[in-house]
Amino acid sequence: QKEVEQDPGPLSVPEGAIVSLNCTYSNSAFQYFMWYRQYSRKGPELLMYTYSSGNKEDGRFTAQVDKSSKYISLFIRDSQPSDSATYLCAMSGGGFKTIFGAGTRLFVKA
Amino acid sequence: GAGVSQSPSNKVTEKGKDVELRCDPISGHTALYWYRQSLGQGLEFLIYFQGNSAPDKSGLPSDRFSAERTGGSVSTLTIQRTQQEDSAVYLCASLRNWGETEAFFGQGTRLTVV
């Protein structure tokens, strides 16, 4: 079993839809939970991060962490074609190095 | 430069040849990762360097793959006797320290083995 599981997609949605991207993990020691966005032919860039459990909102993006279920989510409201990218979850802390999910490819159709 | 630099950006090589991929991390960053990314497999961890500690090589897929990091800065990933399944984008990332939340990625090296 991988330390972090993430559905690779692709996920295709119409413009304006609410997108839900998810990861599960096995190591309960992780404390920091990150989401990276990667556009085509670019390196991933940090989108947002959350410490421990709870929600964090940044514009149209909301990151949610449920440590009891070892489950994290990224919600995108009013999705736009410019949101089309690969989204990677990552986690770290508790004495462990950063671990990345494989990434989910998202396509938002105009 | 201010970011992570990888070279070459593209590499086409013949099956059986050796290749070297280079990563220049952000100055002062102590942690450095190599990943491989392909459509079928997504992002795969290869190797991790942290300061002067022994590297974590647990992600290297075979003994044809090796990496070193000289002087705690520049890193080179070497693939010997390349195979077609080695075709992928190889990404390097550096962090200020192993516990940091933000990893800074290079643009990657797109390797094609023909």
Side-chain angles (χ1 to χ4, degrees):
Chain A
Q1 181 190 7
K2 290 184 178 180
E3 285 190 272
V4 179
E5 298 278 359
Q6 183 175 13
D7 187 334
L11 178 63
S12 183
V13 302
E15 183 176 358
I18 296 174
V19 176
S20 173
L21 304 166
N22 312 291
C23 289
T24 59
Y25 63 96
S26 57
N27 189 344
S28 58
F30 287 135
Q31 298 171 318
Y32 295 95
F33 302 90
M34 290 76 76
W35 286 95
Y36 284 75
R37 180 172 59 193
Q38 182 184 22
Y39 290 117
S40 181
R41 296 186 175 267
K42 301 286 188 183
E45 292 184 326
L46 182 66
L47 183 61
M48 56 194 304
Y49 77 91
T50 308
Y51 174 71
S52 193
S53 282
N55 294 357
K56 186 173 185 178
E57 190 173 314
D58 184 0
R60 296 183 296 109
F61 297 86
T62 300
Q64 195 171 77
V65 175
D66 181 351
K67 290 192 74 177
S68 62
S69 301
K70 300 191 186 68
Y71 189 87
I72 69 170
S73 301
L74 178 70
F75 298 97
I76 307 174
R77 290 185 301 280
D78 187 25
S79 56
Q80 303 295 309
S82 58
D83 296 328
S84 297
T86 296
Y87 290 81
L88 302 105
C89 63
M91 42 208 75
S92 68
F96 294 88
K97 70 178 187 290
T98 302
I99 303 292
F100 280 83
T104 300
R105 294 171 65 210
L106 172 67
F107 297 95
V108 181
K109 299 172 293 184
Chain B
V4 177
S5 177
Q6 291 187 246
S7 60
S9 52
N10 284 283
K11 176 72 176 179
V12 180
T13 190
E14 291 182 351
K15 179 181 171 182
K17 300 278 190 182
D18 297 353
V19 294
E20 280 191 357
L21 312 180
R22 178 186 169 104
C23 173
D24 279 275
I26 293 173
S27 178
H29 280 199
T30 63
L32 186 148
Y33 291 79
W34 281 99
Y35 293 92
R36 179 170 68 176
Q37 188 174 41
S38 59
L39 273 178
Q41 300 298 321
L43 192 73
E44 296 177 88
F45 166 73
L46 295 176
I47 189 168
Y48 166 68
F49 296 91
Q50 171 57 45
N52 296 319
S53 302
D56 177 353
K57 304 179 183 179
S58 60
L60 295 178
S62 77
D63 58 9
R64 296 186 297 104
F65 287 72
S66 63
E68 61 178 23
R69 188 178 184 194
T70 53
S73 181
V74 171
S75 179
T76 302
L77 177 70
T78 302
I79 309 173
Q80 296 178 309
R81 305 181 302 282
T82 52
Q83 305 293 311
Q84 287 187 328
E85 61 262 29
D86 299 334
S87 297
V89 175
Y90 289 81
L91 288 163
C92 172
S94 73
L95 289 83
R96 190 168 52 190
N97 205 344
W98 64 269
E100 294 288 325
T101 55
E102 185 165 10
F104 295 85
F105 282 82
Q107 300 271 54
T109 293
R110 184 172 296 272
L111 176 66
T112 304
V113 182
V114 298

